[in-house]
Structures are given as structure tokens and as C-alpha cells.
């Protein structure tokens, strides 16, 4: 087994004494830092490499802190002047996961960079912590590499906002099989649109 495999096996045993101590110390440290900050190197190099990171010029890693749980509706005194069906304040659930929210916040902070992927690094009772891998689309090391050229195209701008990253795709119900019938054709909207029209064979 190589070094990366050893690190991977360590992170799989999250309940071990070593990892519990490490996570407790690290989450304390992350809480003292800004909610979004750049890191010089990934905390989990083996996971970062699996999601697309390379230790070369043009790659950047940001650490982000996201508050756990749901969000209250912003309504003054909790009053929604409308129908009873819209009067919920507390038990509202966001459709996407916290990891995609973390990617979105980093993408807003660094509008000139492109979000590649992200991974979990820890959590406590209040926060979840993620590290987001980004690339600089204007760097020659990225532009001249055939594997990363696609990130330099305009169509790759703000992938995290449009549910194109791995974390963002999870809430779009994409997949194969009878469980994913509602997104045949690319998306829910495409499937709905196709089901609304009637196409008959023309009699000749």
C-alpha cells in the first residue's frame, strides 16, 4: 500500500482514537479562522487528488465553514401575509446539501476562479467544514493542459451555481433506472416539457 492508501484508511476509521482527537483539535482551529480562507495545501491530499486536485501551478484550495441545520424564513415577527400553506417559518428544508452551499460561497468569493470539486474535512455540533478545489482559467499551466482546458471555456463559469459539480448533481435526481424516470432527457424540466406535448404520427 502506498502512502495515500494509508491516509485514506485512516480517514475511513473516523471513530478511532487518533482520528477523534485530530478532528476535535482541527475543528477547534477552524472555528478560530475566517469562514472562507485560502489554505496553502490540502488537509486531505489523497481525497483532494481523487476529486481533481494537482500540486501544480494554477490550482487553489479554499477552506469553508457552513452552519449546520435548516434556516428560518426571513419574515418580520414570523408573519407571512398570505395563505396558510406559505406560513411556515422554522421547518423549511433547503433542497441542496451543505457541501454545494459551501462551493457556492467560495465561488462567489473567487469569481475569477473555476470550482472543480470539494470534499468534507470535519464537522462539529454547529458547523461543517469543507475544502474546495479551484483552478485559475487564465493560468498558462491550466490553459495549455489538455485535461483542464475545458475549465477555461466560458460555459464552465460558475459550475457550482448551476448544479454541475458532484455535490450539486446529487440534488437533481439524475441517474439510471426506474427510480429516475422524472429526469429522463437531462432534467426535471426537460422531462416535464416532453410529457406535456402530444406527438402523433401524421397520416399520409
Amino acid at each position: 500500500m502506498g502512502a495515500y492508501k494509508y491516509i485514506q484508511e485512516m480517514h475511513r476509521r473516523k471513530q478511532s482514537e487518533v482520528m477523534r482527537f485530530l478532528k476535535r483539535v482541527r475543528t477547534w482551529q477552524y472555528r478560530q479562522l475566517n469562514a472562507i480562507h485560502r489554505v496553502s495545501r490540502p488537509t486531505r491530499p489523497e481525497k483532494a487528488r481523487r476529486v481533481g486536485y494537482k500540486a501544480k501551478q494554477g490550482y487553489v484550495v479554499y477552506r469553508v465553514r457552513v452552519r449546520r441545520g435548516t434556516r428560518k424564513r426571513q419574515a418580520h415577527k414570523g408573519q407571512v401575509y398570505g395563505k396558510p400553506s406559505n406560513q411556515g417559518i422554522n421547518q423549511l428544508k433547503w433542497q441542496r446539501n451543505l457541501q454545494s452551499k459551501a462551493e457556492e460561497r467560495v465561488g462567489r468569493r473567487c469569481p475569477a476562479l473555476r470550482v472543480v470539486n470539494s470534499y468534507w474535512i470535519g464537522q462539529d455540533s454547529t458547523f461543517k467544514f469543507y475544502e474546495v478545489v479551484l483552478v485559475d482559467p487564465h493560468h498558462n499551466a491550466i490553459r495549455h493542459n489538455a485535461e483542464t482546458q475545458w475549465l477555461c471555456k466560458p460555459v464552465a463559469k460558475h459550475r457550482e451555481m448551476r448544479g454541475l459539480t458532484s455535490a450539486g448533481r446529487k440534488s437533481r435526481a439524475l441517474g439510471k433506472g426506474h427510480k429516475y424516470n422524472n429526469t429522463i432527457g437531462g432534467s426535471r424540466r426537460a422531462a416535464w416539457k416532453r410529457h406535456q406535448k402530444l406527438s402523433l404520427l401524421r397520416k399520409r
Side-chain angles (χ1 to χ4, degrees), residues 84-154:
S85 62
N86 296 326
Q87 284 176 350
I89 300 294
N90 285 322
Q91 295 291 329
L92 304 176
K93 310 294 188 291
W94 209 49
Q95 292 301 310
R96 288 190 284 151
N97 54 28
L98 293 178
Q99 188 170 347
S100 75
K101 184 181 284 190
E103 291 176 350
E104 189 176 314
R105 287 183 182 174
V106 175
R108 282 209 180 96
R109 171 66 64 89
C110 310
L113 303 179
R114 304 281 159 84
V115 174
V116 179
N117 222 324
S118 64
Y119 53 93
W120 176 93
I121 53 168
Q123 67 188 51
D124 57 17
S125 62
T126 312
F127 301 106
K128 283 199 176 189
F129 303 94
Y130 298 96
E131 281 184 359
V132 183
V133 179
L134 305 100
V135 297
D136 181 3
H138 304 292
H139 200 289
N140 285 335
I142 304 297
R143 298 180 78 84
H144 296 168
N145 186 0
E147 292 180 0
T148 53
Q149 273 181 345
W150 62 276
L151 284 163
C152 303
K153 295 177 180 176

Side-chain angles (χ1 to χ4, degrees), residues 34-46:
N34 291 335
I36 302 174
H37 58 275
R38 185 177 172 180
V39 293
S40 56
R41 59 178 62 85
T43 307
R44 298 176 59 187
E46 95 297 348

Side-chain angles (χ1 to χ4, degrees), residues 13 31 43 51 53 61 72 101 108 120-121 141 176:
R13 292 165 172 78
R31 284 198 302 272
T43 307
V51 299
Y53 173 79
V61 178
K72 287 180 71 172
K101 184 181 284 190
R108 282 209 180 96
W120 176 93
I121 53 168
K176 291 183 179 178

